[in-house]
Amino acid sequence: MIFDTHAHYDDEAFDKDRDELLKGMNRNGVEFIVNVGASMDSTKKALELADKYPFLYTAVGVHPSESGELTEKDIVWLKEKAAKPKVVAIGEIGLDYYWPDPDKAIQKKWFEKQLQLAGETKLPIIVHSRDAAQDTLDILKSWKKDLTRGVIHCFSYTKEIAREYLNMDYYFGIGGVLTFKNAKKLIEAVEYIPMDRILLETDCPYLAPEPYRGKRNQSTYLDLVAERLSEIKKISKEEIFVQTMQNAKNFYFGGSL
Ligand code: NI
């Protein structure tokens, strides 16, 4: 069975067939999904989805590219929602320097506000970091003692950066990019990362694996990522499913499920 540790089923790409798709998940081998907040609005929608589908959990938080909209009042609201039983993480939060807006100082400010929230609620964090390796690492190092667990979502950095995060006991979110033809750097990192630190994630509707690259992604496609991972790690796909399921449960539920 599959645990999709990072999805965005609140996205409008699913407006036409969301219910049908989600209702078929268990039948199609997907046991759990964590729907991750990216803005205030998507966090609200994610909470509604968690109320509706027993196997769907949620993370509350605001993506760096959306952090320009945040206010102190929003942080209070996020903290209140974080207490709900099906909220299992704070995310996705972090730094994204690929886009010029909002500027770095604003991104850092709200990243740290949400790290503080994770510290206060004792929830794990889901980190989005793009073209911001050093700043992300510096900030996470400085918060290490306040935080429980963390995952670097859609890990896209080198083996050397992976080593730094392993030293801090982080997990690594691995998805469709692993199947892309130009994934050489990622494959090197994945060869290096121990199996007990890998979480399978779609980031759907984005980042569909080959042969669906460019199309709408969904949790059942993680089968293709598991297939590629089994080739790289030289273990069976079944072992990949068992190990990544255990990893995801340890990460989100503290191993209690
Ligand atoms: Ni995402």
Side-chain angles (χ1 to χ4, degrees):
M1 292 292 271
I2 292 169
F3 193 137
D4 185 354
T5 63
H6 189 125
H8 301 281
Y9 282 104
D10 54 279
D11 193 280
E12 61 182 16
F14 296 107
D15 279 356
K16 280 204 181 107
D17 58 350
R18 180 178 297 108
D19 193 50
E20 200 188 324
L21 200 61
L22 287 173
K23 276 185 178 155
M25 282 296 163
N26 287 171
R27 193 171 60 239
N28 291 308
V30 179
E31 192 175 357
F32 296 106
I33 294 170
V34 173
N35 200 92
V36 178
S39 62
M40 289 300 288
D41 189 49
S42 75
T43 295
K44 281 187 196 107
K45 288 181 182 154
L47 289 164
E48 286 166 20
L49 290 178
D51 284 339
K52 197 165 172 195
Y53 302 97
F55 58 90
L56 189 145
Y57 292 76
T58 187
V60 300
V62 174
H63 185 287
S65 298
E66 306 288 333
S67 62
E69 70 169 10
L70 277 170
T71 65
E72 293 291 345
K73 243 173 95 181
D74 292 332
I75 298 293
V76 173
W77 185 87
L78 287 169
K79 187 169 179 183
E80 194 186 297
K81 297 302 169 192
K84 294 185 77 152
K86 288 187 84 186
V87 174
V88 291
I90 302 295
E92 58 189 284
I93 59 174
L95 301 173
D96 192 325
Y97 295 167
Y98 179 80
W99 304 105
D101 289 320
D103 74 42
K104 292 180 182 178
I106 293 176
Q107 292 192 34
K108 284 182 189 170
K109 172 184 166 182
W110 294 107
F111 184 24
E112 297 204 75
K113 291 266 183 200
Q114 294 183 91
L115 288 173
Q116 187 183 342
L117 184 62
E120 288 164 2
T121 57
K122 301 281 170 238
L123 286 171
I125 53 168
I126 303 167
V127 179
H128 171 104
S129 177
R130 190 178 186 192
D131 295 347
Q134 197 57 49
D135 280 3
T136 311
L137 200 53
D138 290 346
I139 289 175
L140 290 177
K141 271 184 186 161
S142 74
W143 280 86
K144 173 136 182 31
K145 64 174 190 333
D146 299 284
L147 301 171
T148 53
R149 292 177 295 285
V151 59
I152 308 300
H153 142 65
C154 193
F155 185 76
S156 59
Y157 295 129
T158 59
K159 187 175 146 182
E160 287 67 36
I161 301 282
R163 182 180 298 130
E164 298 264 8
Y165 281 114
L166 275 175
N167 289 339
M168 295 201 292
D169 291 330
Y170 270 72
Y171 288 76
F172 299 82
I174 303 296
V177 178
L178 192 66
T179 69
F180 295 175
K181 287 201 172 62
N182 54 355
K184 192 168 170 272
K185 187 177 78 173
L186 177 61
I187 290 168
E188 255 174 50
V190 166
E191 280 169 344
Y192 171 74
I193 298 167
M195 253 330 285
D196 68 352
R197 290 282 134 183
I198 291 177
L199 302 181
L200 291 183
E201 59 167 40
T202 54
D203 204 22
C204 66
Y206 310 105
L207 300 175
E210 294 287 2
Y212 302 110
R213 188 172 180 178
K215 305 226 165 66
R216 187 182 75 170
N217 199 2
Q218 62 174 76
S219 304
T220 55
Y221 293 174
L222 280 176
D223 191 67
L224 295 156
V225 177
E227 179 90 48
R228 188 73 191 97
L229 194 54
S230 86
E231 289 165 13
I232 294 167
K233 289 296 198 186
K234 299 182 177 65
I235 56 175
S236 71
K237 195 160 82 174
E238 197 42 50
E239 281 175 87
I240 298 282
F241 285 137
V242 170
Q243 178 74 60
T244 53
M245 174 65 72
Q246 192 56 53
N247 298 348
K249 286 181 177 176
N250 291 345
F251 182 77
Y252 282 124
F253 308 137
S256 63
L257 265 186

